[in-house]
Amino acid sequence: MANIMLLLKDGVKYLPYEYVSEEELTQMVIEHYKEIFGTNTLYFDPQTMRTQIGVIARNDGIILALDQNQWYILEVEVSQHSLRKHIIPQITDFNIAYQQPETRRKLTDVLYALIRQDPYKTAAVQTQKIEDAHKHLTE
């Protein structure tokens, strides 16, 4: 008899689900990002950042938490990926890329342009009473 893990929360039974691919899991996270990260968040499509020293980092998206004055790199991984061989090198590249002032400036400019192009994102920023979105992103 196989062991089946079961999570019981608020009277609801949850069974584990094995995703067919990382893309399937990523799509699920994107579709439900507000339930996962909070209602005052915005999702932005993946960004590739290249530093002046040649580090290239591509994320699975950016999450902007409007009420927390924070943005987060979204990176979705399936449990089969090696922590040492896959995940730690990726996190290291993200850290190097996003610590560079030029990379952060470019990311700020990209996110600001995406907010201005999208009426939903613009309204979400205005709802949070953010008067200067570019300044908000920079800080």
Side-chain angles (χ1 to χ4, degrees), residues 26 30 33 41-46 60-64 74 121:
T26 301
I30 293 167
Y33 79 90
T41 57
L42 297 175
Y43 167 79
F44 295 87
D45 288 332
D60 290 329
I62 301 286
I63 300 294
L64 177 59
L74 176 63
K121 285 181 171 69

Side-chain angles (χ1 to χ4, degrees), residues 34-139:
K34 286 199 175 282
E35 292 100 329
I36 297 168
F37 300 107
T39 56
N40 291 319
T41 57
L42 297 175
Y43 167 79
F44 295 87
D45 288 332
Q47 302 293 317
T48 300
M49 295 292 135
R50 291 175 177 79
T51 68
Q52 293 174 336
I53 60 171
V55 174
I56 299 172
R58 179 164 178 83
N59 57 51
D60 290 329
I62 301 286
I63 300 294
L64 177 59
L66 296 168
D67 57 344
Q68 297 174 22
N69 298 328
Q70 294 282 336
W71 58 266
Y72 300 94
I73 299 166
L74 176 63
E75 185 58 34
V76 180
E77 295 293 339
V78 291
S79 61
Q80 293 85 359
H81 284 173
S82 167
L83 179 65
R84 191 169 45 92
K85 293 179 182 177
H86 181 77
I87 298 171
I88 290 175
Q90 240 180 347
I91 292 170
T92 301
D93 286 347
F94 289 147
N95 189 45
I96 291 168
Y98 295 109
Q99 290 301 319
Q100 303 298 312
E102 180 65 15
T103 303
R104 292 174 70 88
R105 186 192 62 72
K106 286 179 185 176
L107 182 61
T108 296
D109 292 346
V110 166
L111 296 180
Y112 179 65
L114 291 170
I115 289 170
R116 292 186 63 203
Q117 294 168 8
D118 184 326
Y120 171 78
K121 285 181 171 69
T122 300
V125 168
Q126 291 171 345
T127 299
Q128 291 296 310
K129 301 193 183 340
I130 297 169
E131 294 182 26
D132 185 341
H134 195 274
K135 181 180 179 210
H136 184 79
L137 290 166
T138 302
E139 294 175 351

